[in-house]
Amino acid sequence: MTKSNPGNYFEDFNPGMEIIHATPLTVSAGDISLYRALTGSRHALYSAETFAAANGFSALPVDPLLAFHVVFGKTVPDISLNAVANLGYADGKFLKAVYPGDTLKAVSEVLGVKENSNGKTGVVWVRTRGENQRGETVLSYVRWVMVHKKDAASPAPDVSAPDLPDAVASSDLIAPDYTNWDDALAGSEWRYGDYEIGEKIDHVDGMTVEEAEHQTATRLYQNTAKVHFDAHAQKESRFGKRLIYGGVVISIARALSFNGLESAAQMLAINAGTHTGPLFAGDTIYAWSEVLDKAELSSKTGALRLRLVAAKDHPCSDFPLRGKDGKYHPDVLLDFDYWAAIPI
Amino acid sequence: MTKSNPGNYFEDFNPGMEIIHATPLTVSAGDISLYRALTGSRHALYSAETFAAANGFSALPVDPLLAFHVVFGKTVPDISLNAVANLGYADGKFLKAVYPGDTLKAVSEVLGVKENSNGKTGVVWVRTRGENQRGETVLSYVRWVMVHKKDAASPAPDVSAPDLPDAVASSDLIAPDYTNWDDALAGSEWRYGDYEIGEKIDHVDGMTVEEAEHQTATRLYQNTAKVHFDAHAQKESRFGKRLIYGGVVISIARALSFNGLESAAQMLAINAGTHTGPLFAGDTIYAWSEVLDKAELSSKTGALRLRLVAAKDHPCSDFPLRGKDGKYHPDVLLDFDYWAAIPI
Amino acid sequence: MTKSNPGNYFEDFNPGMEIIHATPLTVSAGDISLYRALTGSRHALYSAETFAAANGFSALPVDPLLAFHVVFGKTVPDISLNAVANLGYADGKFLKAVYPGDTLKAVSEVLGVKENSNGKTGVVWVRTRGENQRGETVLSYVRWVMVHKKDAASPAPDVSAPDLPDAVASSDLIAPDYTNWDDALAGSEWRYGDYEIGEKIDHVDGMTVEEAEHQTATRLYQNTAKVHFDAHAQKESRFGKRLIYGGVVISIARALSFNGLESAAQMLAINAGTHTGPLFAGDTIYAWSEVLDKAELSSKTGALRLRLVAAKDHPCSDFPLRGKDGKYHPDVLLDFDYWAAIPI
């Protein structure tokens, strides 16, 4: 019998089952440098120890998205090796800061399963949490994927889809008091009170992604999904080439959003996220944001609920999203809904 | 009104004005690794803690050019977002070593302005200094850029161009005593006394630059000038493609110069620098140097004033620089004038 | 006379001669991150400090292959600048763990020389050892290279080829007791007893290598062999393009071998290695392994002697190696023989 990992099929997932994922990772200053060099991240809170220490952190923290990608990456061999599609994210919460030297481990619980009517695939919901070396949960999120059945003849399990919130409640958001926020160093005078619900921001800049860049980023996260790395096998695929990991799109779009959202540095929660189209090497990512909601967390710190939209080869001054038919614009790559903290 | 950064125009710059640039950066061992991996840097002084500690440093320092690029990068959104061209550097001094854990902040002062006769653009001189977390200036340099006017009808300001030295005086150079220099570990038996004014050195090796490499390096420095990153927009530009950041050329040419200048490891000052032509991905950088001047700084440490010339797709055994018409050879990319310390 | 390094020719190597190589390197957490991001390495022992500390290490160690490439890279300017070919490796031993903060220095001793019958080239055998800052040898290996003579007329030296073992004896292998090995975190339930001599494992996954990736990796190791970096000069070479450093192939094949050899994380010795064909950017690496031998080192730790074969654009379910004529299959890149520790 083969010793290489066959991955899990739809029949292998049972509600309540827990999976401890392989290869914990000790996050380091090297990861912070690479994340910056691969995404263009510029938030002072994740760039300068002095700035972080003045605003409630004990050291220079790791960007929450870097921690998210690392935890996500560990789940791939167990959850999505035989996946047809990554369908969505919900109820993602960043609960504790991650610092260099922390070791992240990923554990998933199967929340529910639902066979598709074709009898060949099914949907699996899992909650994944990232734990540090002290066993503290640093982040937690739900995702659901469509997975192949091993055998179309196997009987359909009871349907058990979880109830998921449309958005994380603002009362569940955890952020420090930004007691010494420096607007000049943060790069903007705009604070909580300057953003209005419904406001749209074109982030203007574009970032072209090369094969070497997305492969390097995806390996940094130890995400091994073969569609991102194997050009030889991908020649026979639907697109004929390597697909870029959706997390690369999220992080670059988020880094582009610095231009207009400079002080909304700290991601607190992921409410929802859909990868609406594929990105390939050579494509250029543009992004825009919309303020969906606002909440005061303390006298010093507020939160903006933001929609982050990424589009390819399409500058976003026209805020592309959906057509009149309700379908996503073909240039749109990502529709991502999150909470970020911002000083008041 | 838009919240994305419109940048400063010629009219926005007034002599005496100070600009604190956004996003201080805590430099780390990760940055040192990436700088080495992206440039090919091989000087023992910036590679081995043991070597640095034996020669006057308290730990493994960051290559002065890495610190320079980081400080330079921070100025881009404020100084050169609307620039037509980066015209030159002068009076650059490396004043204190930068170590992992230091946080660099950039502050610029406008030294002078001069409107061009076309009424559409003007030249702005700024002195930028990089400060560490203790408020100490670690490096300082002048650069001047040609910037668009917002409105051609706005009146020309008084001309106020600064007086700039041709070169930093050797009495202003700061270097430690190299008390335990090891020629074998440094990679050369050649020391101060072995180099003669007028001597030219062909550095022989060539380095081809890929899109992913220059983009990654330029993001490492948090330099966001869009000409380096946005292939979609650059299709409509004069060159039709992304331009490589001039700092990438400086650092690779400097790394190539190891072959022949192994012990001239520590850059002390930048006297002048001109980017004489554009570099694109796929081009190969070659370099040669000329010894312009020499100075003894102590009984242990001397300084060489060096011209570093980079050329593209042109091995430098013929020392390309200018044609008979006095114009730069079309293959020449960089004419860079600096002081470097070398053991006596 | 030129100051750039002319390298050593066959006549320059004399048995017994010792060469201290330039540019010691202080290995850092940044190097660990880059190694992971460039190779896809996923072994828990080299990823998580907690896992390493539970299994006999004092901190998160550096992957032995990273240390090997760093030491190897330093030898290039002295040993193989004028080499025609790298012929083989033997008797490689990993003697002490390397941790971030350790400074590696490379020293080589010439073991033997043998002129080729053509009178134009000769074979040189060297033993290279990597030393840390305490003067402890952390790794040691023999390699032999074919080097150009400076002058075909110079007389042939006495032949002095060393005796080399086919494999490192299992009694010479050094590994800690794996007292707290966690199968789930390691990624596999397979341990020492589950592998049989003669067993072959297809590692399934493929990894495509880009120019930017192999150049960045090779510079990380400070290996400056020009065939890897200079596309302009390589246009005139036999292949017309840049060659990928063989160490890049070894490390990616080894990272791919995680899938099926998850717990054989720690390389203990290199018995032999042959680069049987060139790899170019755009090619995809696949790999398979064969268990050649087994040895119990303690009650907790065993060792597998493994053949690691890499092939290009050729998935390895058919275990490609040699044709009926005994010659290597044209798709095979690497035939590498090593010992790895594995928990019992």
Side-chain angles (χ1 to χ4, degrees):
Chain A
M1 69 166 289
T2 179
K3 285 199 170 65
S4 58
N5 175 27
N8 287 311
Y9 288 87
F10 180 69
E11 296 93 324
D12 297 318
F13 294 99
N14 298 302
M17 166 186 180
E18 189 184 74
I19 303 170
I20 297 171
H21 303 292
T23 313
L25 178 74
T26 303
V27 177
S28 77
D31 300 331
I32 291 179
S33 294
L34 267 163
Y35 187 77
R36 185 175 91 237
L38 291 167
T39 66
S41 167
R42 287 191 282 158
H43 292 109
L45 201 60
Y46 298 103
S47 178
E49 188 168 45
T50 47
F51 194 99
N55 289 287
F57 292 86
S58 62
L60 182 66
V62 164
D63 191 291
L65 279 177
L66 169 54
F68 174 79
H69 296 323
V70 165
V71 170
F72 183 98
K74 304 200 172 318
T75 71
V76 166
D78 299 313
I79 306 297
S80 45
L81 198 69
N82 301 306
V84 187
N86 192 35
L87 298 173
Y89 312 102
D91 202 31
K93 293 172 201 163
F94 296 99
L95 300 166
K96 289 193 82 79
V98 176
Y99 298 105
D102 283 353
T103 298
L104 297 180
K105 178 175 116 174
V107 181
S108 295
E109 184 191 356
V110 179
L111 298 183
V113 296
K114 183 183 170 193
E115 185 167 311
N116 287 326
S117 54
N118 62 16
K120 295 182 182 163
T121 58
V123 177
V124 178
W125 285 262
V126 295
R127 173 171 289 284
T128 299
R129 60 180 196 275
E131 284 182 11
N132 65 19
Q133 69 280 13
R134 290 180 296 276
E136 299 164 334
T137 298
V138 299
L139 64 90
S140 168
Y141 66 93
V142 175
R143 74 162 166 146
W144 53 107
V145 290
M146 192 188 303
V147 184
H148 283 292
K149 288 181 70 177
K150 203 181 298 175
D151 177 3
S154 57
D158 292 343
V159 172
S160 54
D163 270 335
L164 295 171
D166 287 341
V168 173
S170 63
S171 56
D172 284 346
L173 302 176
I174 298 172
D177 278 357
Y178 294 143
T179 45
N180 289 289
W181 197 268
D182 182 314
D183 289 340
L185 295 181
S188 174
E189 61 187 300
W190 313 115
R191 291 187 171 209
Y192 180 77
D194 300 305
Y195 291 90
E196 290 178 24
I197 294 174
E199 181 174 355
K200 292 178 179 177
I201 302 158
D202 173 15
H203 301 305
V204 180
D205 308 309
M207 182 70 70
T208 307
V209 184
E210 301 295 323
E211 298 282 14
E213 292 170 339
H214 77 81
Q215 292 196 148
T216 302
T218 306
R219 284 184 300 242
L220 180 71
Y221 312 138
Q222 295 181 315
N223 179 328
T224 60
K226 62 185 71 177
V227 293
H228 311 314
F229 297 112
D230 184 339
H232 183 75
Q234 287 300 107
K235 274 190 290 191
E236 309 305 316
S237 73
R238 176 176 159 210
F239 297 110
K241 50 188 169 178
R242 282 165 282 179
L243 275 171
I244 294 178
Y245 165 48
V248 166
V249 178
I250 296 172
S251 281
I252 290 178
R254 172 79 175 134
L256 291 170
S257 79
F258 179 88
N259 195 349
L261 283 167
E262 289 85 347
S263 287
Q266 186 179 355
M267 190 175 285
L268 301 177
I270 295 173
N271 299 313
T274 307
H275 297 287
T276 61
L279 185 77
F280 304 106
D283 292 343
T284 301
I285 301 177
Y286 295 88
W288 65 272
S289 293
E290 179 180 359
V291 181
L292 299 176
D293 202 357
K294 297 179 63 173
E296 292 190 18
L297 304 184
S298 74
S299 64
K300 296 289 186 185
T301 307
L304 301 179
R305 185 179 165 193
L306 295 160
R307 177 201 294 276
L308 173 63
V309 178
K312 74 174 165 188
D313 296 341
H314 185 132
C316 290
S317 57
D318 65 341
F319 307 110
L321 187 62
R322 293 177 186 273
K324 287 176 184 166
D325 58 1
K327 289 189 183 161
Y328 281 107
H329 188 291
D331 297 341
V332 168
L333 296 166
L334 174 75
D335 184 7
F336 192 75
D337 179 341
Y338 70 103
W339 284 103
I342 188 168
I344 288 180
Chain B
M1 69 167 290
T2 179
K3 285 198 171 63
S4 57
N5 174 28
N8 288 311
Y9 288 87
F10 181 69
E11 296 93 324
D12 297 318
F13 294 99
N14 297 304
M17 165 185 182
E18 188 184 76
I19 302 171
I20 296 172
H21 304 292
T23 312
L25 177 75
T26 303
V27 177
S28 78
D31 300 330
I32 290 179
S33 294
L34 267 163
Y35 187 77
R36 185 175 90 238
L38 291 167
T39 66
S41 168
R42 286 191 282 157
H43 291 109
L45 201 60
Y46 299 102
S47 178
E49 188 169 45
T50 47
F51 194 99
N55 289 289
F57 292 86
S58 61
L60 182 65
V62 164
D63 191 291
L65 279 177
L66 170 53
F68 174 80
H69 296 323
V70 165
V71 170
F72 183 98
K74 305 202 171 316
T75 70
V76 166
D78 299 312
I79 304 297
S80 46
L81 199 68
N82 301 306
V84 186
N86 192 36
L87 298 173
Y89 312 101
D91 203 29
K93 293 171 202 163
F94 296 99
L95 301 165
K96 288 192 82 78
V98 177
Y99 296 105
D102 283 353
T103 299
L104 297 181
K105 179 174 115 174
V107 181
S108 295
E109 184 192 355
V110 179
L111 298 183
V113 295
K114 183 182 170 191
E115 185 166 312
N116 287 326
S117 53
N118 63 15
K120 294 179 182 166
T121 57
V123 177
V124 178
W125 285 261
V126 296
R127 173 171 290 284
T128 298
R129 60 179 195 275
E131 284 181 12
N132 66 19
Q133 69 279 12
R134 290 180 296 275
E136 299 163 334
T137 298
V138 299
L139 64 89
S140 167
Y141 66 92
V142 175
R143 75 161 166 147
W144 54 109
V145 291
M146 192 188 303
V147 183
H148 283 292
K149 288 181 71 177
K150 201 180 299 173
D151 177 2
S154 56
D158 292 343
V159 172
S160 55
D163 270 335
L164 295 171
D166 288 341
V168 173
S170 62
S171 55
D172 285 346
L173 302 177
I174 298 172
D177 277 357
Y178 294 143
T179 45
N180 289 290
W181 197 269
D182 182 316
D183 289 339
L185 295 180
S188 173
E189 61 188 298
W190 314 115
R191 292 186 170 211
Y192 181 76
D194 300 305
Y195 291 91
E196 290 177 23
I197 294 175
E199 181 174 356
K200 293 178 179 177
I201 302 158
D202 172 15
H203 301 306
V204 179
D205 308 309
M207 182 71 70
T208 306
V209 184
E210 301 295 323
E211 298 282 15
E213 292 169 339
H214 77 83
Q215 293 197 147
T216 302
T218 306
R219 285 185 300 244
L220 179 72
Y221 313 139
Q222 295 181 315
N223 180 328
T224 60
K226 63 185 70 176
V227 294
H228 310 313
F229 298 112
D230 185 339
H232 183 76
Q234 287 300 108
K235 275 190 288 192
E236 309 305 316
S237 73
R238 176 176 159 211
F239 297 110
K241 51 188 169 179
R242 282 164 281 180
L243 274 172
I244 294 178
Y245 164 49
V248 167
V249 178
I250 296 173
S251 281
I252 290 178
R254 172 80 174 133
L256 290 171
S257 79
F258 178 87
N259 195 348
L261 283 167
E262 289 85 347
S263 287
Q266 185 179 354
M267 190 176 284
L268 301 178
I270 296 173
N271 299 312
T274 307
H275 298 287
T276 61
L279 185 77
F280 304 107
D283 292 343
T284 301
I285 301 177
Y286 295 87
W288 64 274
S289 294
E290 179 181 359
V291 181
L292 298 176
D293 202 355
K294 297 178 63 171
E296 292 190 19
L297 304 183
S298 74
S299 64
K300 296 287 187 187
T301 307
L304 300 180
R305 185 178 165 194
L306 295 160
R307 176 201 294 276
L308 173 63
V309 178
K312 74 174 165 187
D313 295 341
H314 185 132
C316 288
S317 57
D318 65 341
F319 307 110
L321 186 62
R322 294 176 185 273
K324 287 178 184 163
D325 58 1
K327 290 187 184 163
Y328 281 107
H329 189 290
D331 297 341
V332 169
L333 297 164
L334 174 75
D335 184 6
F336 193 75
D337 179 342
Y338 69 104
W339 283 103
I342 186 166
I344 287 181
Chain C
M1 69 167 289
T2 180
K3 285 199 171 65
S4 57
N5 174 27
N8 287 311
Y9 288 86
F10 181 69
E11 296 92 324
D12 298 318
F13 293 99
N14 297 303
M17 165 185 181
E18 188 184 76
I19 303 170
I20 297 171
H21 303 293
T23 312
L25 177 75
T26 304
V27 176
S28 77
D31 300 330
I32 290 179
S33 294
L34 268 164
Y35 187 77
R36 185 175 90 238
L38 291 167
T39 66
S41 167
R42 288 191 280 156
H43 292 109
L45 200 60
Y46 299 102
S47 178
E49 188 169 44
T50 47
F51 194 99
N55 289 288
F57 291 87
S58 61
L60 182 65
V62 164
D63 192 290
L65 279 176
L66 170 53
F68 174 79
H69 296 324
V70 164
V71 170
F72 183 98
K74 302 199 175 319
T75 70
V76 167
D78 299 312
I79 305 297
S80 46
L81 198 69
N82 301 307
V84 187
N86 192 35
L87 298 174
Y89 311 102
D91 202 30
K93 293 172 201 163
F94 296 100
L95 300 166
K96 288 193 82 77
V98 177
Y99 297 105
D102 283 353
T103 299
L104 297 181
K105 179 174 114 173
V107 181
S108 295
E109 184 192 356
V110 178
L111 299 183
V113 295
K114 182 182 170 193
E115 185 166 309
N116 286 326
S117 54
N118 63 16
K120 295 180 182 164
T121 57
V123 177
V124 177
W125 284 262
V126 296
R127 172 171 293 284
T128 298
R129 60 180 196 276
E131 284 182 12
N132 66 18
Q133 69 280 10
R134 290 180 296 277
E136 299 163 334
T137 298
V138 299
L139 64 88
S140 168
Y141 65 94
V142 175
R143 74 159 165 148
W144 55 107
V145 291
M146 192 189 302
V147 184
H148 283 292
K149 288 181 70 177
K150 203 181 297 173
D151 178 3
S154 56
D158 291 343
V159 171
S160 53
D163 270 335
L164 295 170
D166 287 341
V168 173
S170 63
S171 55
D172 285 345
L173 302 176
I174 299 173
D177 277 357
Y178 294 144
T179 46
N180 290 288
W181 197 269
D182 182 314
D183 289 340
L185 295 181
S188 174
E189 61 188 297
W190 313 115
R191 292 188 171 208
Y192 181 76
D194 301 305
Y195 291 91
E196 290 177 25
I197 294 175
E199 180 174 357
K200 293 179 179 178
I201 303 159
D202 172 15
H203 301 304
V204 180
D205 307 309
M207 182 71 70
T208 306
V209 184
E210 300 294 324
E211 298 282 13
E213 292 170 340
H214 77 82
Q215 292 196 147
T216 302
T218 307
R219 284 185 299 243
L220 180 71
Y221 312 138
Q222 295 181 315
N223 179 328
T224 60
K226 62 184 71 176
V227 292
H228 311 313
F229 298 112
D230 184 340
H232 183 75
Q234 287 300 108
K235 273 190 289 191
E236 310 305 315
S237 74
R238 175 176 159 210
F239 297 111
K241 50 189 169 179
R242 283 165 280 180
L243 275 172
I244 294 178
Y245 164 49
V248 167
V249 178
I250 296 173
S251 281
I252 290 179
R254 172 79 175 134
L256 290 170
S257 78
F258 178 86
N259 194 349
L261 283 168
E262 290 84 348
S263 287
Q266 185 179 355
M267 189 176 286
L268 300 178
I270 296 173
N271 299 313
T274 307
H275 298 286
T276 60
L279 185 78
F280 304 106
D283 292 343
T284 301
I285 301 175
Y286 295 87
W288 64 274
S289 294
E290 179 181 0
V291 181
L292 298 176
D293 201 356
K294 297 179 64 173
E296 292 191 21
L297 305 183
S298 74
S299 65
K300 295 289 185 186
T301 307
L304 301 179
R305 185 178 164 193
L306 295 159
R307 176 200 295 277
L308 173 63
V309 178
K312 73 174 167 187
D313 296 342
H314 185 132
C316 289
S317 57
D318 65 341
F319 307 110
L321 187 61
R322 293 177 187 273
K324 288 177 185 164
D325 57 1
K327 291 187 183 162
Y328 281 108
H329 189 291
D331 297 342
V332 168
L333 297 165
L334 174 74
D335 184 7
F336 192 75
D337 179 342
Y338 69 103
W339 283 104
I342 187 165
I344 287 181

